[in-house]
Amino acid sequence: MKVPYSWLVEMLPDLPNKIDYNPHNLEPILAMLGTGIEEFLESPTPPDGVIFGVVLECTPMPETHLYELLVDVGDGTSKTIVTGASNARAGVGVAVATPGTQLAAHQSVDMDGQGTVVGIREIQGKTSWGMCCSPKELGIGEYAGGLLEFPANNAASGTILSSLWAEDVVLDVEITPNRADALSVLGIARDLAAFLKLEVKLPSGGLASYHDTNFPVQVEVLEPESCPRFVARMAKGVKVVPSPAWLQRRVTNAGMRAINNLVDASNYVMLELGQPTAVYDAKDLPEHKIVVRPAKDVESIISLDDQPRVLTAKDLVITTPVNAESRVVGVAGVIGAKYSAITDATTDVVLEAASFNPVQLRLTARRLGLATDAVYRFERGVDPNLLLWAANRYMQLILESGGGEVVPGHFDVGGEQPRLSVPFRPGFANEYLGTSFSSTDQKAALERLGFLVDATSGEVWTVQPSTNRVNMDLEVDLVEEVARMLGYDAIPETLPNIRVNDGVRGVDAPVKATRALKEVLVGLGFQEIVSYSFTNTLEAERARVPAPVLELQNAQSTERTHLRTQLISSLLNTAKVNRALESLLLFEVGNVFPYPISDSNHPGEERLGLLMSGAFAPKTWQAGINGGFYAFKGLLEAAAHRLGDLLEVHQHPNAPEFLHPGIAGEIFWNGVSVGMIGALHPQVAANLELSNNTLVAEIRLPLPTRAWNFKDPSRLPSALRDLAIVAPNTTPYSHLEQLTKKAAGLFLESVQPFDVFAGGKIPEGHRSVAIRLEFRAPGRTLTDTEVDGAMQNVMNAMREVGLEIRG
Amino acid sequence: MVNEAKIEIDASSSLNELQEVKVKYLGKKGLLTAELKTLGSLEPEARKAKGAAVNMVKNELEMMFEARETALKDAELARKLSSEALDVSLPGIPFQAGGFHLITRIIDDLSDIYRGMGYAVVQGQEVEDELHNFDALNIPGYHPARDQWDTFWLKDNRVLRTHTSPMQIRFMEAHEAPFKIVVPGKVFRFEQTDATHEAMFHQLEGLVVGEGITLADQKGTLAEMAKGLFGSRAKVRFQPSYYPFTEPSADFAVYWENPRTGAAKWLELGGCGMVHPRVFEAVCKLRNDDKYAHARGFAFGLGIERLAMIKYGIPDIRYFFQNDLRVLRQFRGNLD
């Protein structure tokens, strides 16, 4: 929200003195109140040489889009000025850049567009003395479709315009959603006054009024919970004219566009007090009756902005009877109907100042896609007791600018709304904050905010927050206000004095285990990566990983439409990014979402993904160390052993499509299937332009753990025996190991393959696997007979399944 | 004979040659052995005298052989060592050094600081339901506060969690107070990406629930964290703020002197406050008991990437997830 500093100072005359006359010093003060300043904007004054003039005559120039203006520029002098602006007309005040005026280059957007110095020019045969300017040309506002206009009586012709439109500093403040009360200049002023102990000079109360049951405009509210209060006022014989310069300047600097006195006054009141209002042309309410009711299901209107709007029974509308029909004149608090909008011809106006249900209004505005300044305030909560002030202030402003007569009195449905009463214990505030604020200070703090404090009953006070405060119904809400007023800096620093419940001890075991795993992998040379959880179907297709399941409703780009199903795809992307490197060892721990939508409670699954490409150690002047499957697997085995776990890999019974079908294993961690390992399928490698020598693994976390017992190392020698088995290539080593372990008896300590080869005398499709068996008995030395017997059993077992033992 | 032998011993240039000389003099058919054999034919007096003389020569020869042998062995070893010499200035085999992602390092640092204060580190889930991400945190759908979180919605109407705060609810559903936890994790915002905004980043959430917890406890805790992260001169400042799930709410900033630039300033790091009573009410409803009916606690959250960017001078948040190893590998070793 934009707050012009001069406006703030008008309400806080003592503020400049408090802040050394430097508006930038407000930043830390507002921060201590919870209001951040996003930036300070310099709002300039019009350039030197620009004066106030009054258009006496306006003549269209034949065969052009131009007008010839006769402008009173003061001292009884009139000048001819040619303009192309479509809003040029006789009887209005304009900003005249006299010849010699320097306009910044980017500001002269129309006319000849090039000179930055305004001169006397021949335009279409007419001598134009200077130039009538738009707000943008003057550098004081946005282009709004034409010349900057004023009422003809705004100032004497020839007045230097900068005397009507002084420079200013505008504070762009960020108001948190709980501070609806601060969405106005008055709101900010009140907060500052309460904190800095200043007096607020309230804006004018406007034209005082009274509820008149016979008021010429009658209002009926069908559902009071949708509209707790509605005030109507009326003015007759009003002229639609430009707003005076002082008002235009404030509205413009607050970020809105000046349009005419009736619209600007409504915006002005909202910016000043925080209450949005709506203005209707009284002729469009022929029976002078307003009915607030839910919209019909379905009812459509054309809104002010010429858009058709379809409404439902959930929306609240302002209607009026026209020829026995209920006609919608506005969507409550959101947007008016084009039908009843004021025009240049409007003379009688009906003003609505109302209070609406913020939730209902928000839902309507969202559905209609309308995010106006009024909606912003209404959905956060507007003080229901502000609206009469706002209505009276509005009437005062339009009477000053547009003349006419204000109909005495008003019609009020709902009336004054009561304050809440909230019990509050100053002792609790201190206990909650850890402070030692005195009761006197706490009471004064709440009172400075305009809250009513009844402290007569001792420890439990009754506090009545002002009705402009939302979310102020709990004791802790008041505690925050006390802290805010007395300063968050006064809160001391202590540490919690609690002992945690035994039931939560050990809850961090999974996080600790993951950290230990990561540390081992880093120690083995793996680099950790962290990738986006997003993917898209094409990416999944190219990597041949399972198609993504969870899809975003509101994807940001075609790259990020789904959640990933496999870490592999992220690792492959990273391998691609780092293709220039000869060797890669990567891992990522992250969540994947491979579950069908039907499993709608599934939170995702944490996994470890690993990738190796290229050599384990690249060749330099030294030979390097090969990568490949067994290096990759060996690193995983080392990781498992480092963690005290057992890792086995078996031929994958159902190899994923992204793996080479002949190099695909299922990983068993302490005997439990946890994932897969293998070589990247050459087709995937080709799709992603990666080397064929890429290996990947993916493992579900947390990993199964293993019971552990201390074993005394034996000091007795072991017996070693070697055995060579000829087996078909389709018989995995793990099968041979299983057979061996099963047949060798209790004293087999370990089995290790030490040679695998094919060719030579080995039949086609077979290979020779040589294994070394180590036997040991606890507490004694095994005899040769015992070991030979065990070996015989192993050989028999092999032969039984048709395997051949080599001599 | 001694002189002749000495010449031959000195002349032998290898252990083999030396052995030959030794055999020539001391072997079974050696010259000295032959002398000894003549002793038997001598008179006892003369035998005794000659025997002593021959033995002296033998001892002298043996000493000479031993000395020469040692010298030859030393020379051989020296030659061998010299031939084995390597140019140690050549680089070693380039094993991969490995490394943690910077985000992990910061999360681990923070976790260590909090573990030191008796906190448990737990994780939540990245895909959340609306109930846990918003409603139970006192952010109902109709409330404008929802606008503070630009949200990714899934087609199944769940959300990518916009903060780590849902874990507050989940942890209290599953556990009873008192407890102290921190929750690191990924969060997501529907935001246009630029140098300081990402659709995905990391947060660390903290929640402490127990009797007598105060906002001052929160301030002291964050001051401990600041000192742990930035050194003992770091300070913490609170400013009022608004989060629907805390009341009172504060934003906290840390005063930090950058050791690299010497510049000192307040860094806005995150938000915090006392857990809102409506959050405890929501937990009671979910638990279907009143274990949290009168509970009290504080909660806080901070952005990890922001902290990393400030502390290590990283100019663009997008570096974190591009996984360019030229970037990631810089964050090894001692970063302070």
Side-chain angles (χ1 to χ4, degrees), chain A residues 301-307 309 335-342:
Chain A
I301 64 158
I302 304 292
S303 57
L304 265 178
D305 53 358
D306 267 327
Q307 299 294 312
R309 306 277 178 187
I335 196 163
K338 190 172 175 65
Y339 157 73
S340 51
I342 53 163

Side-chain angles (χ1 to χ4, degrees), chain A residues 362 366 431-432 480 488 491 494 501 508 515 528 531-532 551 553-554 556 578 591 600 602 621, chain B residues 99 104 121 126 142 147 151 153-155 157-158 176 178 186 191 198 217 219 249 296 323 325:
Chain A
R362 173 175 163 86
R366 293 222 119 187
E431 193 197 309
Y432 207 66
E480 180 175 76
Y488 273 34
I491 296 164
T494 55
N501 171 13
D508 58 356
R515 182 162 169 182
E528 185 188 18
S531 311
Y532 295 102
E551 186 176 2
Q553 283 181 25
N554 51 342
Q556 272 178 327
N578 295 287
N591 283 288
S600 67
H602 208 289
W621 66 278
Chain B
T104 298
V121 186
E126 287 170 23
Y142 53 79
D147 298 349
T151 309
W153 291 86
L154 291 172
K155 289 252 161 106
N157 287 323
R158 289 189 292 168
E176 287 177 29
K186 272 183 185 171
E191 267 193 286
E198 250 297 4
D217 290 340
K219 203 176 191 181
S249 300
R296 201 192 286 182
N323 292 322
L325 262 55

Side-chain angles (χ1 to χ4, degrees), chain A residues 49-76:
Chain A
V50 179
I51 59 165
F52 179 83
V54 175
V55 180
L56 302 173
E57 290 170 22
C58 173
T59 319
M61 292 164 60
E63 290 166 34
T64 70
H65 65 286
L66 303 174
Y67 300 90
E68 178 185 355
L69 306 179
L70 186 65
V71 181
D72 175 0
V73 294
D75 295 330

Side-chain angles (χ1 to χ4, degrees), chain A residues 1-178:
Chain A
M1 186 181 69
K2 292 193 170 77
V3 180
Y5 176 67
S6 64
W7 203 346
L8 196 58
V9 168
E10 188 181 80
M11 294 186 203
L12 296 171
D14 298 329
L15 179 65
N17 186 37
K18 275 264 182 189
I19 57 170
D20 284 338
Y21 299 88
N22 181 355
H24 290 261
N25 289 339
L26 277 173
E27 189 164 4
I29 296 170
L30 282 171
M32 286 312 292
L33 288 165
T35 299
I37 295 190
E38 285 179 359
E39 57 178 334
F40 289 91
L41 304 159
E42 299 293 328
S43 163
T45 187
D48 289 344
V50 179
I51 59 165
F52 179 83
V54 175
V55 180
L56 302 173
E57 290 170 22
C58 173
T59 319
M61 292 164 60
E63 290 166 34
T64 70
H65 65 286
L66 303 174
Y67 300 90
E68 178 185 355
L69 306 179
L70 186 65
V71 181
D72 175 0
V73 294
D75 295 330
T77 316
S78 303
K79 297 286 188 190
T80 295
I81 303 175
V82 173
T83 183
S86 57
N87 65 337
R89 62 192 194 278
V92 296
V94 288
V96 178
T98 57
T101 301
Q102 180 97 33
L103 300 177
H106 71 276
Q107 287 160 355
S108 35
V109 287
D110 47 13
M111 302 302 288
D112 58 3
Q114 30 192 311
T116 57
V117 177
V118 175
I120 301 174
R121 285 196 177 77
E122 289 292 314
I123 300 169
Q124 301 282 324
K126 302 284 176 187
T127 303
S128 181
W129 187 86
M131 168 178 166
C132 290
C133 299
S134 70
K136 188 175 172 82
E137 285 161 334
L138 298 174
I140 59 173
E142 291 303 306
Y143 181 73
L147 301 179
L148 181 59
E149 288 184 341
F150 305 105
N153 62 358
N154 200 153
S157 293
T159 303
I160 302 295
L161 195 63
S162 56
S163 71
L164 302 178
W165 195 296
E167 63 191 355
D168 205 351
V169 173
V170 178
L171 286 53
D172 194 353
V173 296
E174 196 179 2
I175 310 289
T176 52
N178 60 328

Side-chain angles (χ1 to χ4, degrees), chain B residues 167-212:
Chain B
M167 191 53 186
Q168 291 187 25
I169 307 296
R170 291 196 180 274
F171 195 82
M172 288 192 277
E173 279 181 81
H175 299 94
E176 287 177 29
F179 62 80
K180 302 189 268 191
I181 56 165
V182 286
V183 188
K186 272 183 185 171
V187 300
F188 302 85
R189 298 281 168 89
F190 183 77
E191 267 193 286
Q192 284 313 308
T193 305
D194 62 29
T196 53
H197 296 90
E198 250 297 4
M200 182 184 96
F201 55 98
H202 293 75
Q203 281 186 342
L204 182 92
E205 186 87 6
L207 177 66
V208 173
V209 179
E211 233 170 274

Side-chain angles (χ1 to χ4, degrees), chain A residues 57 88 202 215 218 318 333 415 513 518 531 568 575 613 656 661 674 704 792:
Chain A
E57 290 170 22
L202 294 177
F215 191 69
Q218 295 283 308
I318 316 295
K518 286 183 178 186
S531 311
I568 301 290
S613 91
V674 294
Q792 199 52 56

Side-chain angles (χ1 to χ4, degrees), chain A residues 222-236:
Chain A
L222 298 188
E223 291 186 356
E225 60 277 16
S226 295
C227 176
R229 195 173 179 196
F230 193 113
V231 162
R233 288 207 71 175
M234 191 178 185
K236 290 179 170 174

Side-chain angles (χ1 to χ4, degrees), chain B residues 1 5 20-41 50-51 53-55 57-59 61-62 65:
Chain B
M1 183 154 73
E20 280 169 27
V21 179
K22 200 172 178 180
V23 169
K24 179 176 169 191
Y25 288 94
L26 298 177
K28 281 183 186 163
K29 296 174 182 171
L31 297 174
L32 199 67
T33 319
E35 285 291 316
L36 281 172
K37 281 178 183 161
T38 61
L39 290 181
S41 59
K50 184 155 186 197
V54 172
N55 259 330
V57 171
K58 191 187 174 196
N59 286 343
L61 286 180
E62 275 174 348
F65 278 115

